[in-house]
Amino acid sequence: MTLSRQMVFIILVSFVFIFMGTFAISLENARHYLARQLESHAQDTATSLGLSLSPVLARKDTTTLRSMVDAIFDRGYYRELVIAGADGTRLLERVNPAGIAGVPAWFVELIPLETPPGEALLVDGWMELGTLRITSHPGFAYAELWRTSADTLLWLSACTAAALGLGLGLIHMVLKRLRSVETQAEAICDGRYPIQDDIPKTRELRHMVLAMNRMSARVQQAFAEQSAIADTLRAQVYVDEVTGLGNRRYFDVQLGQLIQYPDEFAGGALLLMELADFKDFNNRHGYVSGDELLRKAAASIRTACPEEAGCLLARLAGGSFGVIATHGLKETVETLAQRLAGSLVQLRDQGGLDGQGLGHIGVALYATGQTASELLGHADHALRTAQAQGACAWHIHSPAQPQDTPSGARNWRKFLEDSVREERIELSFQPVLPLTATPGEAMHREVLLRLRGESGEMLTAGTFLPMAERVGLAPEFDRIAVRAVLERMGRTASPAKSYAVNLTPGSLRDAGFVDWLCQQLKAFPERAKRLTFEVPEYGVVGDVEAAKRFVQRLRPFGSRFSIDHFGRNFASFAYLHSIGAAYIKIDGSFVRNLHLDQDNQFFLRELTRTAHEIDMKVIAMSVETAEEREALAAILVDGIQGYLICKPGEAD
């Protein structure tokens, strides 16, 4: 029972007891008073009438006797009048058979009103002539008692209603304040730190609201400090201090991780950009001007790299930069190379570059099975080829195209549309286990899409989803994934299984898709509570407000939201508190050989502590060795996923 109902119940019970007690006491006092009045009335009449009747009875004047009795009795105030002789013989008797008018019969039966008779002796000198007994009629007393009871009941009811209304109003005001404090506390747990501006005047409530405001401000400050520490640690290890891009260590770690997990890099490419004669530029203009040139070049690279290519940017050394496009068509990569070449021209026009060579770009498309050194070698060879072609030139090294993979946006569109129509999409699953897992226990199972090619070969999501995003079909694939998982949840024998479905970033901003998803969740409320939707970090950072709106739409259905590949992009951790994600998945680049990397251990420890402060779980991806698992256990992450547990498969 809620507090409001408990308080209302207590008030109602209290008022009922007070009302009943007050009414009962009032009624009993009135009844007792009227009974005394009836008795007194009868006795007074008997006494005065007895004195008047005594001489008449002594003269045996029966006519006068009857007249005097009738004059008194006919007024209707008496129920019975009896005159008896000295020997007990009834000389005269009058009875009023009239009922009690205007008073309900149940009231008369419920409230008995005693009417004791009044008696008087009839004497002549010292001689007793007889007795007179008079009983008052209770009708008028009952009418008065009924009227008094009704008025009392009406007054008490009005007072009770007024008091109850005031009490409920006060309860509503107090509970409204309590609800606002509850909402504020829940917001703090979700990583939001609101401050209540409307401070109540009641002393206790005022102190409570002010205390909550202070706590909210302090928790926000503590989270900001922890986020700043985590950002600083990551920057010290992975960020180039001049440009703000990733450093060579970041570049090598990310490239190595992508090569190790080609599903995420199936349509990727590596671009190397080198400013011409940067060493001579430093010698001519000084290191301050050289650093300024590097910062301008980094800004140009950021502008040139589109979100849909999933680019990871780094400064490698001197005037050399690396761009890892995690997915994209050959045409997309060529467009990216052209934009980078155009950025070099803009640098010259802005007065940044003063040579004729300006710079060059070498591009190598990734082919499954390549090693990191092979891909770097191809990109470096392409860069040297571009340098031989003149200023701002770029050259692309393209490996042989797999037979099962279309080429060109038009062919990709047709292939994907045919795949949707022919239902060639299949599901694969990989469990996420808590570090304290017992055999068979899983936090959830991540759902991975697979697409069967025309020759029967299975294509990973990293191969076809980036193409689907480019041609505008990504939301359709997300719909297919959601429908398939909901249907599978309906067929599964275990109602406790939970699933995590990956969504493309564009679906978060697609109002039509979000409305459709909410309709599906509403149709299957029990299954919705066991669903989590994962979005890669670059998609969340690209539109934080869209992610917030998406989480708000999910909340009524009990579905959760998470951030995938967390840490791959250099976004500040401060945005985490405003999203409301249930958990984050640490990118595998931070997990590889974690037991040998003290910097990553310290960074992940701070990240995990920061996430736990806002009630957010942390899951580590790409865990492959027992040593990595032990290092993660020491850091207190909540769950792990990777080949150490099992590879993705059709069974869940």
Side-chain angles (χ1 to χ4, degrees):
M1 184 182 293
T2 63
L3 177 61
S4 60
R5 291 183 178 179
Q6 292 179 8
M7 295 180 70
V8 170
F9 176 76
I10 292 173
I11 291 176
L12 284 175
V13 170
S14 300
F15 270 109
V16 166
F17 276 108
I18 293 173
F19 176 86
M20 292 177 62
T22 303
F23 182 74
I25 293 173
S26 175
L27 183 62
E28 178 61 24
N29 288 339
R31 186 187 70 82
H32 181 71
Y33 172 77
L34 290 173
R36 294 288 299 274
Q37 288 292 102
L38 289 174
E39 181 183 6
S40 175
H41 176 254
Q43 186 60 51
D44 290 346
T45 303
T47 300
S48 60
L49 184 60
L51 293 175
S52 300
L53 292 179
S54 291
V56 176
L57 183 61
R59 295 193 307 270
K60 298 182 180 181
D61 186 353
T62 57
T63 301
T64 303
L65 182 68
R66 288 189 179 90
S67 298
M68 293 177 65
V69 168
D70 291 340
I72 294 295
F73 193 80
D74 289 346
R75 297 173 62 187
Y77 291 118
Y78 305 98
R79 173 181 289 175
E80 184 182 36
L81 189 153
V82 176
I83 297 176
D87 57 357
T89 304
R90 290 194 174 189
L91 302 177
L92 182 65
E93 182 178 8
R94 294 285 187 271
V95 178
N96 184 1
I100 301 173
V103 180
W106 62 264
F107 184 78
V108 176
E109 295 178 2
L110 183 65
I111 310 296
L113 192 61
E114 296 180 1
T115 56
E119 295 184 351
L121 290 176
L122 301 178
V123 296
D124 182 15
W126 296 102
M127 182 181 297
E128 180 179 347
L129 302 177
T131 59
L132 171 64
R133 188 175 73 251
I134 299 178
T135 304
S136 297
H137 197 289
F140 296 101
Y142 268 114
E144 180 65 19
L145 186 61
W146 171 252
R147 184 186 64 79
T148 301
S149 299
D151 291 345
T152 303
L153 181 64
L154 182 62
W155 171 248
L156 289 177
S157 299
C159 292
T160 300
L164 186 61
L166 291 174
L168 292 178
L170 181 61
I171 291 175
H172 176 74
M173 182 183 69
V174 172
L175 293 181
K176 182 179 179 180
R177 286 296 178 184
L178 292 179
R179 281 191 292 269
S180 66
V181 171
E182 178 188 8
T183 302
Q184 187 179 23
E186 290 177 349
I188 293 173
C189 292
D190 292 339
R192 294 175 284 114
Y193 310 106
I195 299 295
Q196 296 190 54
D197 297 323
D198 185 13
I199 307 299
K201 296 181 180 179
T202 306
R203 184 178 63 180
E204 291 80 5
L205 293 177
R206 180 184 183 87
H207 290 170
M208 179 179 63
V209 171
L210 291 176
M212 285 297 298
N213 283 346
R214 288 194 298 271
M215 183 180 72
S216 180
R218 290 182 180 178
V219 172
Q220 183 178 19
Q221 181 181 2
F223 177 79
E225 291 173 353
Q226 288 188 352
S227 298
I229 293 174
D231 287 337
T232 301
L233 290 173
R234 181 174 60 175
Q236 290 175 352
V237 178
Y238 291 111
V239 178
D240 178 66
E241 60 182 8
V242 176
T243 63
L245 302 180
N247 56 21
R248 182 59 189 251
R249 181 177 181 179
Y250 169 79
F251 176 84
D252 291 339
V253 168
Q254 292 296 333
L255 183 60
Q257 174 67 17
L258 291 169
I259 292 294
Q260 187 177 7
Y261 288 86
D263 284 3
E264 303 176 17
F265 199 40
L270 174 59
L271 298 89
L272 298 180
M273 187 179 88
E274 187 175 279
L275 301 179
D277 302 322
F278 179 70
K279 183 177 181 180
D280 291 340
F281 183 92
N282 269 341
N283 292 334
R284 291 193 304 271
H285 300 283
Y287 289 101
V288 174
S289 296
D291 288 348
E292 182 62 25
L293 174 60
L294 291 175
R295 283 189 283 269
K296 290 181 179 179
S300 298
I301 292 173
R302 288 192 184 95
T303 304
C305 294
E307 177 185 322
E308 60 268 17
C311 294
L312 306 176
L313 313 179
R315 179 196 172 205
L316 305 183
S320 298
F321 297 86
V323 177
I324 304 174
T326 57
H327 48 259
L329 287 170
K330 180 180 179 182
E331 293 86 341
T332 304
V333 177
E334 289 175 349
T335 301
L336 176 56
Q338 291 173 355
R339 289 180 177 177
L340 290 174
S343 69
L344 292 172
V345 177
Q346 291 177 359
L347 280 177
R348 182 191 62 187
D349 295 342
Q350 295 169 1
L353 294 173
D354 56 4
Q356 294 297 320
L358 301 183
H360 307 84
I361 299 102
V363 184
L365 298 179
Y366 172 72
T368 303
Q370 279 184 329
T371 64
S373 59
E374 288 174 343
L375 185 61
L376 273 169
H378 291 316
D380 185 69
H381 183 269
L383 177 61
R384 304 313 162 198
T385 303
Q387 288 173 342
Q389 295 175 354
C392 295
W394 59 274
H395 182 76
I396 186 168
H397 175 274
S398 179
Q401 185 77 10
Q403 294 182 355
D404 213 39
T405 304
S407 60
R410 182 175 299 178
N411 292 333
W412 265 108
R413 173 179 284 277
K414 183 178 184 306
F415 171 72
L416 294 174
E417 289 176 345
D418 292 343
S419 300
V420 172
R421 185 175 61 256
E422 297 170 9
E423 298 182 351
R424 296 205 295 258
I425 295 92
E426 299 182 11
L427 300 184
S428 184
F429 304 89
Q430 188 175 33
V432 174
L433 297 186
L435 279 174
T436 58
T438 57
E441 181 182 359
M443 296 174 68
H444 64 262
R445 291 153 180 82
E446 182 176 357
V447 181
L448 306 171
L449 289 188
R450 297 290 185 263
L451 180 60
R452 190 171 298 280
E454 295 177 352
S455 62
E457 181 182 355
M458 297 301 294
L459 303 180
T460 63
T463 303
F464 65 87
L465 275 183
M467 307 304 118
E469 286 190 80
R470 183 181 177 189
V471 299
L473 292 175
E476 186 59 36
F477 279 89
D478 289 342
R479 286 186 174 91
I480 292 173
V482 173
R483 280 196 296 262
V485 172
L486 287 173
E487 291 174 2
R488 190 180 187 92
M489 294 172 75
R491 297 193 304 267
T492 182
S494 174
K497 285 186 177 181
S498 299
Y499 296 88
V501 181
N502 290 281
L503 298 181
T504 53
S507 294
L508 267 66
R509 300 185 292 270
D510 188 331
F513 172 82
V514 176
D515 290 340
W516 173 87
L517 178 61
C518 291
Q519 291 175 0
Q520 296 296 310
L521 299 178
K522 184 178 181 180
F524 303 99
E526 293 303 319
R527 303 177 199 177
K529 297 175 183 177
R530 296 186 280 126
L531 275 180
T532 303
F533 298 97
E534 296 184 359
V535 177
E537 185 188 35
Y538 78 87
V540 176
V541 175
D543 195 338
V544 174
E545 292 303 319
K548 290 181 184 179
R549 292 193 296 270
F550 184 74
V551 174
Q552 291 295 327
R553 295 290 300 274
L554 291 181
R555 187 164 286 128
F557 308 106
S559 301
R560 303 186 301 169
F561 179 79
S562 73
I563 303 173
D564 203 7
H565 292 291
F566 185 83
R568 176 179 287 181
N569 302 85
F570 288 121
S572 172
F573 294 162
Y575 81 92
L576 278 179
H577 78 275
S578 63
I579 296 293
Y583 59 85
I584 56 177
K585 281 188 173 180
I586 301 172
D587 187 66
S589 60
F590 297 98
V591 178
R592 287 186 66 195
N593 297 319
L594 179 64
H595 56 291
L596 303 176
D597 194 328
Q598 295 294 327
D599 291 333
N600 274 353
Q601 290 180 32
F602 194 60
F603 163 67
L604 292 185
R605 187 174 291 108
E606 288 300 319
L607 170 62
T608 302
R609 183 182 296 114
T610 301
H612 286 170
E613 285 290 334
I614 55 175
D615 198 26
M616 187 181 297
K617 296 185 182 299
V618 178
I619 295 172
M621 303 175 65
S622 306
V623 181
E624 296 194 357
T625 67
E627 291 80 6
E628 291 172 349
R629 173 175 176 161
E630 291 176 3
L632 290 166
I635 294 171
L636 301 179
V637 301
D638 301 285
I640 57 174
Q641 178 181 6
Y643 289 175
L644 178 64
I645 300 171
C646 73
K647 293 184 178 181
E650 295 183 4
D652 63 345

